[in-house]
């Protein structure tokens, strides 16, 4: 990597020569084989590839949820492979937001509380987390839904709460694994717009795995996975 000049001169996340294999009994499956990808502040990237090609694996590695067998994940220019689990968790909490295909909200908590939790875990004052969470939920059009539990929200609303939770700690990168995969087209559009609005407003770097070419075409960049490597589409 080049000498660090300023935050915007280095990728927010840089995956370098990532290798990932799964071994089951006698057979070894190579999923990622020298994958490289740079994610930049304020840029949205669509990851479009068939099922089973390694999209989730790549996202988990970029999000420090999984460790590659070889290669390096740089966050803000700094390598992460030699960090302790505690240090990796710290980076995950402060710099990385993750959105899954299913919302994974805690059912017994309200929308507001679900968004507050990651901030409380980081040690913010309760009053501060209430204020920030209310602001983020309002920004995503959920101002009237803060007291609802997940079961009292529509699929699109649940996903927008999950997005609010993912950005609650103002991450530098937002990773979304088929976030609109369970939604009807109209709702998917609404949720997608919320993600794009966040990229513009906060300059977060965003990587979204999706099968939806219409949505992918509205993003800044499109990449795919071919034989375990990242290729640029166009
Ligand atoms: P995608 O998200 O593109 O559908 P995944 O990254 O989930 O692909 O999976 C890629 C391949 O790796 C699949 O063939 C899957 O079966 C395999 N795989 C994923 N996770 C594991 C695991 N923990 N153990 C063994 N194989 C796995
Ligand atoms: Mg997947």
């Amino acid at each position: 990597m080049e000498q660090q000049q300023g935050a915007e001169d280095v990728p927010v996340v840089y995956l370098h020569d990532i290798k990932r294999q799964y071994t089951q009994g006698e057979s070894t499956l190579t999923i990622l084989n020298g994958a490289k990808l740079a994610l930049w502040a304020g840029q949205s990237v669509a990851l479009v590839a068939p099922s089973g090609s390694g999209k989730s694996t790549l996202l988990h590695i970029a999000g420090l949820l999984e460790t590659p067998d070889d290669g390096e994940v740089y966050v803000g220019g700094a390598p992460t492979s030699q960090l302790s689990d505690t240090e990796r968790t710290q980076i995950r909490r402060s710099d990385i937001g993750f959105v899954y295909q299913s919302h994974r909200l805690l059912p017994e908590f309200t929308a507001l509380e679900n968004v507050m939790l990651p901030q409380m875990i980081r040690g913010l004052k309760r009053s501060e987390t209430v204020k920030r969470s209310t602001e983020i939920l309002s920004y995503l059009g959920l101002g009237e839904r803060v007291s609802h539990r997940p079961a009292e929200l529509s699929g699109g609303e649940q996903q927008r709460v999950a997005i609010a939770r993912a950005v609650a700690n103002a991450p530098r990168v937002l990773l979304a694994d088929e976030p609109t995969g369970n939604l009807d087209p109209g709702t998917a559009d609404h949720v997608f717009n919320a993600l794009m609005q966040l990229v513009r407003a906060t300059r977060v770097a965003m990587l979204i795995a999706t099968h939806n070419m219409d949505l992918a075409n509205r993003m800044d960049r499109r990449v795919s996975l071919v034989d375990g490597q990242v290729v640029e589409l166009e």
Side-chain angles (χ1 to χ4, degrees):
M1 301 283 291
E2 299 285 333
Q3 183 69 31
Q4 197 165 331
Q5 303 267 305
E8 304 241 330
D9 295 330
V10 290
V12 174
V13 171
Y14 180 56
L15 304 176
H16 182 69
D17 274 345
I18 299 298
K19 189 160 188 177
R20 185 74 171 106
Q21 298 181 313
Y22 292 114
T23 306
Q24 263 167 348
E26 305 272 279
S27 66
T28 298
L29 209 57
T30 302
I31 307 304
L32 299 174
N33 196 10
K36 291 193 190 77
L37 179 65
L39 301 175
W40 297 92
Q43 190 182 61
S44 57
V45 181
L47 175 57
V48 188
S51 274
S53 58
K55 298 184 298 298
S56 295
T57 304
L58 189 84
L59 284 167
H60 291 159
I61 288 171
L64 307 186
L65 293 161
E66 223 179 283
T67 323
D69 298 312
D70 202 0
E72 185 60 85
V73 181
Y74 297 86
V75 177
T80 59
S81 60
Q82 302 302 316
L83 298 178
S84 68
D85 283 350
T86 314
E87 289 166 323
R88 289 162 67 85
T89 301
Q90 207 99 45
I91 294 176
R92 245 189 348 258
R93 283 183 186 153
S94 59
D95 292 339
I96 298 166
F98 215 101
V99 179
Y100 298 88
Q101 183 167 358
S102 60
H103 58 77
R104 300 197 185 189
L105 297 170
L106 297 173
E108 64 274 34
F109 290 97
T110 65
L112 185 70
E113 289 163 344
N114 268 283
V115 180
M116 287 169 63
L117 269 170
Q119 299 169 74
M120 307 271 298
I121 290 168
R122 263 194 96 192
L124 259 77
K125 280 207 320 230
R126 190 185 165 82
S127 57
E128 182 67 16
T129 69
V130 170
K131 183 166 168 286
R132 280 179 54 89
S133 304
T134 309
E135 278 170 10
I136 299 166
L137 285 165
S138 302
Y139 183 77
L140 293 174
L142 295 165
E144 313 278 281
R145 300 283 186 279
V146 292
S147 309
H148 290 230
R149 292 197 166 73
E152 301 158 348
L153 297 168
S154 71
E157 289 168 345
Q158 290 167 344
Q159 259 327 42
R160 278 183 286 146
V161 176
I163 292 167
R165 177 183 57 181
V167 299
N169 286 328
R172 295 202 281 171
V173 60
L174 185 56
L175 303 165
D177 197 353
E178 305 192 34
T180 63
N182 287 341
L183 305 174
D184 63 76
T187 309
D189 207 57
H190 199 168
V191 167
F192 178 78
N193 288 337
L195 287 165
M196 294 305 281
Q197 190 182 336
L198 281 167
V199 175
R200 282 190 296 270
T202 66
R203 294 197 51 74
V204 71
M206 187 166 77
L207 179 63
I208 305 184
T210 181
H211 287 291
N212 187 326
M213 256 343 264
D214 290 337
L215 299 186
N217 284 332
R218 286 159 57 191
M219 296 172 67
D220 297 320
R221 235 172 102 200
R222 283 147 293 283
V223 299
S224 189
L225 281 167
V226 178
D227 297 334
Q229 304 206 351
V230 178
V231 296
E232 301 280 334
L233 296 178
E234 212 76 41

